[in-house]
Amino acid sequence: MTNILPNLPDVNQPLLFEMMRSFTTLARTLNLSHAVTELNSTRQTVRRHISQLEVLRGKPLFYVSDRRYELTDEGHAALPEAEALLTRSRAWSRGEMGSYGALQYLQTGRGDWVFYQQQQAMGSIWKDESVLLRETYRAWMMASGEIESQNLAHVRAHLLVFRHAENGWICVEFGERSAYVKWFGHDYARSSVGRPIARLPAGEELGQMLDQSFVDIETAQTARLDHVYTRMPLPHGEKQVTMVYQRLMMAGFFPDGSPAVMTLVVPTSNVNIAGLDAEMRKSITDIIPSEFDPKDAFFEQVAKRGPREDSSL
């Protein structure tokens, strides 16, 4: 097979990191002077970094119109992954990000606040003790991701629905029987509709990594299961308590065809998260899971019955 890529020189990894910083900063500001100031660099250095990246990738990342930088199509395509690589590399260097068996984990903390998130194999759902978790996953598949499908109607009240807007991911629907409403109350939930996902105390980088899960789900039109251990405030702004839950994220569609992400939160104390010691597990606050009658698990009942026998045989 003919190699269609040119023989490119090896790049010093620290230099590559700085080159990507120059690229992402200039892509955000579209102004060389502003990028230089933000990077505490020089115009010559930023220009050189962009030129080197363009040589490596084989295509221009910017063009200049009326002395203003604009991203090319290649630049637009390269930007999201460059931003994600920078964010992940900084988090990885602090020990806040990694993987177990190719499944992602995040862990960080500020003061008395902690956040642990570990991705789980989707197959673990079938052995989980939560009927609601299993039924929601089955219902999502049967609904083909259509939010208003009748196949989702019996679990819809347990879901949160998000859509992507210019200011980030916003929740547009809190299910009346969702864990969020159960914890914070209907009034607080209603007042949160339309707000961007809250940035956690760990700062913008963790927020970006959490947002990336939504982006991945929406783009790949798939589902994801995470176990989460964190600190959350009690209703009415009281002290923080430890919360542990499973979060099932599923890609979906609104009736007009626009994409969405649905999430199901299932409080539990039985989580698979590396790094949680016995003392941390003792601090978990017991939360009564959302009520769901197993008799309403229509698709689970069908699965247990198995295929019907053909009476003609």
Side-chain angles (χ1 to χ4, degrees):
M1 180 182 293
T2 303
N3 183 9
I4 62 174
L5 295 175
N7 293 322
L8 299 174
D10 290 334
V11 179
N12 179 276
Q13 295 305 308
L15 176 58
L16 180 59
F17 187 90
E18 292 304 315
M19 290 159 59
M20 287 195 296
R21 284 188 66 223
S22 293
F23 167 56
T24 57
T25 304
L26 184 57
R28 177 164 40 79
T29 63
L30 297 177
N31 183 291
L32 185 59
S33 297
H34 292 170
V36 166
T37 299
E38 185 172 328
L39 292 164
N40 192 25
S41 184
T42 67
R43 299 172 73 90
Q44 181 181 11
T45 298
V46 173
R47 284 198 184 104
R48 183 175 69 252
H49 286 170
I50 300 303
S51 178
Q52 289 171 319
L53 279 178
E54 291 178 332
V55 170
L56 286 171
R57 296 184 63 86
K59 293 182 180 179
L61 300 171
F62 294 94
Y63 66 90
V64 181
S65 176
D66 294 330
R67 293 183 292 183
R68 176 180 172 85
Y69 280 79
E70 299 289 348
L71 283 165
T72 63
D73 289 344
E74 176 69 15
H76 279 292
L79 181 58
E81 187 62 19
E83 292 175 330
L85 284 169
L86 287 172
T87 298
R88 289 197 296 265
S89 63
R90 285 190 287 261
W92 178 87
S93 69
R94 296 191 296 265
E96 295 179 345
M97 185 175 190
S99 63
Y100 289 100
L103 297 175
Q104 181 199 71
Y105 80 85
L106 301 173
Q107 55 187 55
T108 188
R110 297 293 186 274
D112 64 350
W113 178 84
V114 295
F115 184 88
Y116 287 70
Q117 174 182 294
Q118 188 163 322
Q119 187 179 7
Q120 307 295 310
M122 293 302 297
S124 66
I125 289 178
W126 307 128
K127 297 180 180 180
D128 196 86
E129 61 186 13
S130 172
V131 177
L132 175 60
L133 182 65
R134 298 194 301 268
E135 181 68 9
T136 299
Y137 189 39
R138 287 188 168 105
W140 169 72
M141 289 188 286
M142 294 302 296
S144 301
E146 296 180 9
I147 292 175
E148 299 297 339
S149 168
Q150 284 302 306
N151 287 325
L152 268 176
H154 63 307
V155 297
R156 176 75 174 268
H158 298 274
L159 304 181
L160 275 65
V161 181
F162 296 83
R163 74 156 69 237
H164 192 256
E166 291 184 2
N167 57 343
W169 285 91
I170 60 174
C171 188
V172 296
E173 179 181 323
F174 290 92
E176 293 182 358
R177 300 174 67 186
S178 67
Y180 187 95
V181 171
K182 192 176 186 67
W183 184 244
F184 290 103
H186 288 87
D187 291 343
Y188 187 93
R190 281 195 295 267
S191 67
S192 299
V193 172
R195 291 182 183 176
I197 296 175
R199 295 301 182 200
L200 300 175
E204 184 177 352
E205 284 190 357
L206 178 61
Q208 290 175 351
M209 288 187 287
L210 294 177
D211 274 359
Q212 189 62 43
S213 299
F214 283 80
V215 173
D216 293 344
I217 292 296
E218 179 194 45
T219 303
Q221 290 299 296
T222 186
R224 169 177 171 147
L225 179 66
D226 291 285
H227 287 183
V228 177
Y229 175 104
T230 189
R231 302 279 289 175
M232 295 179 66
L234 285 165
H236 313 299
E238 300 172 23
K239 66 178 183 178
Q240 291 187 340
V241 296
T242 303
M243 297 277 293
V244 181
Y245 55 89
Q246 299 188 78
R247 183 189 65 181
L248 175 63
M249 305 174 67
M250 303 157 287
F253 298 94
F254 290 103
D256 64 358
S258 58
V261 171
M262 297 172 281
T263 68
L264 171 71
V265 171
V266 180
T268 181
S269 58
N270 184 23
V271 290
N272 174 34
I273 299 179
L276 295 186
D277 56 32
E279 199 62 34
M280 296 174 72
R281 290 182 180 273
K282 285 181 182 179
S283 67
I284 295 174
T285 302
D286 289 329
I287 299 177
I288 301 174
S290 300
E291 296 178 1
F292 183 75
D293 191 337
K295 295 180 181 178
D296 294 332
F298 172 77
F299 296 114
E300 173 140 318
Q301 294 174 33
V302 172
K304 287 182 176 179
R305 286 198 300 267
R308 292 182 299 177
E309 295 183 2
D310 190 334
S311 59
S312 65
L313 296 179

